[in-house]
């Protein structure tokens, strides 16, 4: 039995059944648009072809998605729930299964591509795109490099490995500009079997140098569905006369739901206004804003090696947008982290003064509670489910677990931590982001007690717990949502 072409004597290849065979003897053995040369199927020389948006022409024979398939509502930190069709775009989590029971079978991938007006790539197409015209072993060359594509070798510990947003590894690309063919997610191909997936993944336990090969096929086992995804292809003769462009999600100025406010473009929110900053006396360090007489981190503290999908491991804090906040924080850890960068953990008075903005509002965004403005249990209520689908107002305060005043609900939902700055309206006149919700924030009381403020993404009663003046009494929030931010004196 073979698992890759190198297991076979040339010019034979390893077939999907795990046997060494000739790929072709005549052109009839190859797919349309391919010819047989030396018992291998190669693209025929044809005129240039034009591909749909976000696809690239491979040797002018077929078009392939530039990025792994993702769900239409996916973001840089959330895989999404809309499974109506496959899309291909950078900076979002690929469409794969997960650790909570969702799976992507061959039939699911096939249907998602068809709904997008495409199809799954054939094994021949996928392998040719991966190897390139020079038939390299990996998408980037013949020598295995553990840091070029997303692999377990980057992390060492399977528990630390995580799938990355599409296109995150800029060197993991072929000559036609196709990203992540090796690593990140295994990819379904035509053939009707989950055992034919290609490319390896971020958590393959077999040696990465083996499973990331362009010619590797599992054949006798199915990769973990948590890392099994796909991408789509299309041939010139399959394209409609006019290929519709994929709709871009427009930024929403006045969002009424989390889905309105949170899209891929929102990960780069809150650009600093140079003119506004230049008028703020006195100035603050980068990543901080001026509040009356001191400076506070604009964004919740994050570890220096945090990403949109992983909170990182570094003990050095940063204040920056678009990454997961520092979680599982302790008082000692927060105090030491802020001190290590020349700052101090914000006191309760500093934190509360910064949260309410110049007007001293009850919430960071204003005087009245808004269920979808900052990240809490209400933010991701499933307003489409039967108990809530007919409601006039949804989300509503307490929608995750409590009935609506209209009589419907509860709605349930999918609460989760978001990258810093993901909800652009969760801010105030000082420019402080996410003071209400997302991560509970430890403050320095000066007496060694661990007191948190601001509420978190797991705040069941967010209307109460997201208020700037609220502090838990007699109970402690989950460590999984416990973070902090730093303060410092303003420059003279």
């Amino acid at each position: 039995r073979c698992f890759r072409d190198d297991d076979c004597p040339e010019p034979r290849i390893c077939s999907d059944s795990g046997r060494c065979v000739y790929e072709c003897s005549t052109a009839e053995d190859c797919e349309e648009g391919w010819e047989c040369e030396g018992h291998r199927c190669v693209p025929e020389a044809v005129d240039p072809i034009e591909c749909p948006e976000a696809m690239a022409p491979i040797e002018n024979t077929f078009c392939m998605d530039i990025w792994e398939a993702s769900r239409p509502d996916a973001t840089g930190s959330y895989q999404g729930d809309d499974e109506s069709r496959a899309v291909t775009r950078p900076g979002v989590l690929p469409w794969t299964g997960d650790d909570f029971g969702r799976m992507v079978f061959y039939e699911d991938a096939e249907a998602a591509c068809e709904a997008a007006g495409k199809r799954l790539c054939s094994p021949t197409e996928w392998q040719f795109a991966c190897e390139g015209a020079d038939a390299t072993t990996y998408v980037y060359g013949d020598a295995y490099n553990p840091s070029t594509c997303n692999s377990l070798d980057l992390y060492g510990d399977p528990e630390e490995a995580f799938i990355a947003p599409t296109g995150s590894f800029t060197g993991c690309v072929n000559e036609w500009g196709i990203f992540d063919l090796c690593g990140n997610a295994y990819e379904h191909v035509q053939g009707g079997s989950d055992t034919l997936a290609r490319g390896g993944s971020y958590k393959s336990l077999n040696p990465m140098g083996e499973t990331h090969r362009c010619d590797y096929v599992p054949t006798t086992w199915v990769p973990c569905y948590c890392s099994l995804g796909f991408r789509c292809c299309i041939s010139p003769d399959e394209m409609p006369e006019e290929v519709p462009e994929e709709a871009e999600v427009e930024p929403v100025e006045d969002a009424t739901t989390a889905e309105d406010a949170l899209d891929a473009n929102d990960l780069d929110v809150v650009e600093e206004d140079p003119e506004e900053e230049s008028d703020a006396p006195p100035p603050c360090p980068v990543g901080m804003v001026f509040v009356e007489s001191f400076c506070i981190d604009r964004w919740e503290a994050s570890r220096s090696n945090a990403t949109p999908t992983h909170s990182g491991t570094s003990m050095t804090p940063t204040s920056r947008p678009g990454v997961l906040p520092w979680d599982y924080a302790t008082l000692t850890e927060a105090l030491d982290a802020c001190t290590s960068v020349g700052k101090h953990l914000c006191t309760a008075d500093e934190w509360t003064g910064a949260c309410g903005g110049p007007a001293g509002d009850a919430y960071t965004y204003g005087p009245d509670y808004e269920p979808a403005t900052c990240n809490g249990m209400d933010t991701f209520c499933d307003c489409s489910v039967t108990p809530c689908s007919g409601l006039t107002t949804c989300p509503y305060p307490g929608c995750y677990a409590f009935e609506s005043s209209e009589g419907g609900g509860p709605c349930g939902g999918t609460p989760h931590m978001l990258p810093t700055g993901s909800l652009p309206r969760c801010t105030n006149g000082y420019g402080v982001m996410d003071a209400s919700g997302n991560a509970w924030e430890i403050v320095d009381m000066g007496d060694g007690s661990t007191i948190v403020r601001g509420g978190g993404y797991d705040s069941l009663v967010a209307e109460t717990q997201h208020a700037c003046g609220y502090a838990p009494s007699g109970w402690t929030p989950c460590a999984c949502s416990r973070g902090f931010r730093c303060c410092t004196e303003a420059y003279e």
Side-chain angles (χ1 to χ4, degrees):
R1 173 170 292 274
C2 61
F3 291 93
R4 52 190 176 91
D5 292 348
D6 280 1
D7 293 335
C8 303
E10 292 185 354
R12 298 179 186 236
I13 64 166
C14 186
S15 69
D16 294 341
S17 63
R19 294 186 299 170
C20 294
V21 299
Y22 290 125
E23 185 176 19
C24 62
S25 295
T26 67
E28 286 70 28
D29 298 327
C30 300
E31 300 171 14
E32 185 175 350
W34 299 69
E35 57 188 0
C36 187
E37 289 185 2
H39 293 291
R40 296 296 301 268
C41 293
V42 297
E44 292 179 345
V46 295
D47 295 330
I49 62 174
E50 185 173 340
C51 292
E53 183 180 5
M55 300 187 83
I58 307 299
E59 206 73 353
N60 289 318
T61 301
F62 64 97
C63 300
M64 174 178 267
D65 284 348
I66 293 176
W67 299 280
E68 297 152 312
S70 58
R71 295 177 176 89
D73 59 341
T75 71
S77 61
Y78 189 55
Q79 289 187 330
D81 295 309
D82 182 355
E83 300 192 347
S84 60
R85 63 188 175 96
V87 300
T88 176
R89 55 196 176 111
V92 298
L93 292 183
W95 185 335
T96 66
D98 55 31
D99 294 323
F100 305 102
R102 288 201 295 185
M103 300 182 182
V104 182
F105 297 107
Y106 170 83
E107 294 79 10
D108 302 322
E110 186 177 48
C113 285
E114 289 179 357
K118 307 173 188 178
R119 56 172 172 76
L120 277 178
C121 303
S122 72
T124 300
E125 290 172 333
W126 194 97
Q127 185 169 332
F128 184 84
C130 183
E131 293 178 341
D134 294 332
T136 55
T137 305
Y138 306 96
V139 70
Y140 47 81
D142 286 320
Y144 174 63
N145 187 327
S147 63
T148 299
C149 298
N150 191 15
S151 74
L152 180 59
D153 287 342
L154 280 171
Y155 313 100
D157 182 353
E159 296 300 319
E160 294 292 328
F162 60 94
I163 198 162
T166 51
S168 295
F169 288 76
T170 56
C172 191
V173 64
N174 69 7
E175 60 197 271
W176 298 290
I178 308 294
F179 287 89
D180 302 318
L181 285 165
C182 294
N184 213 36
Y186 266 104
E187 300 184 19
H188 282 292
V189 294
Q190 290 178 356
S193 173
D194 297 341
T195 64
L196 303 181
R198 303 297 179 96
S201 78
Y202 72 98
K203 63 183 306 180
S204 303
L205 292 180
N206 288 346
M208 299 290 105
E210 186 74 10
T211 56
H212 279 206
R213 292 175 60 100
C214 295
D215 61 359
Y216 181 83
V217 187
T219 70
T220 59
W221 58 280
V222 177
C224 173
Y225 284 103
C226 62
S227 63
L228 186 49
F230 61 99
R231 76 178 73 217
C232 310
C233 287
I234 192 171
S235 300
D237 60 349
E238 298 169 325
M239 288 188 248
E241 292 185 5
E242 292 187 7
V243 179
E245 295 184 356
E246 290 182 0
E248 294 185 0
V249 180
E250 294 294 333
V252 179
E253 294 183 0
D254 295 315
T256 57
T257 68
E259 286 72 19
D260 292 334
L262 185 62
D263 57 56
N265 297 324
D266 284 336
L267 288 177
D268 294 325
V269 299
V270 195
E271 294 293 331
E272 297 193 23
D273 185 342
E275 294 185 3
E276 183 176 331
E277 288 296 317
S278 64
D279 293 336
C284 293
V286 174
M288 305 189 82
V289 293
F290 181 65
V291 178
E292 300 301 331
S293 60
F294 64 95
C295 300
I296 188 171
D297 285 346
R298 183 189 291 271
W299 298 279
E300 298 153 311
S302 57
R303 298 177 188 270
S304 61
N305 61 344
T307 72
T309 58
H310 193 262
S311 58
T313 57
S314 168
M315 299 303 289
T316 301
T318 63
S319 172
R320 56 196 172 107
V323 296
L324 287 181
W326 193 310
D327 54 7
Y328 292 91
T330 65
L331 174 63
T332 299
E333 195 173 74
L335 288 166
D336 291 346
C338 289
T339 300
S340 73
V341 291
K343 305 177 185 179
H344 64 264
L345 181 64
C346 297
T347 66
D349 288 343
E350 287 173 330
W351 191 96
T352 304
C355 176
D361 288 321
Y363 303 94
T364 197
Y365 46 81
D368 302 313
Y369 177 66
E370 299 174 7
T373 297
C374 294
N375 188 19
M377 295 284 271
D378 297 339
T379 314
F380 288 97
C381 280
D382 189 350
C383 295
S384 64
V385 299
T386 300
C388 301
S389 58
L391 295 176
T392 302
T393 302
C394 191
Y396 58 85
C399 57
Y400 181 85
F402 305 105
E403 288 188 358
S404 165
S405 59
E406 299 178 46
C411 308
T414 54
H416 54 282
M417 188 82 84
L418 292 174
T420 50
S422 291
L423 296 176
R425 295 180 61 230
C426 189
T427 189
N428 59 28
Y430 294 133
V432 178
M433 300 295 300
D434 302 318
S436 294
N438 211 36
W440 290 88
E441 300 184 27
I442 299 172
V443 294
D444 186 3
M445 301 298 293
D447 59 3
S449 59
T450 299
I451 301 297
V452 293
R453 296 294 178 90
Y457 75 91
D458 55 354
S459 291
L460 189 61
V461 190
E463 185 173 17
T464 298
Q465 296 168 358
H466 280 198
C468 293
Y470 177 81
S473 177
W475 66 283
T476 303
C478 173
C480 61
S481 60
R482 195 166 60 221
F484 62 95
R485 75 178 75 209
C486 305
C487 289
T488 192
E489 295 181 359
Y491 293 149
E492 294 294 337

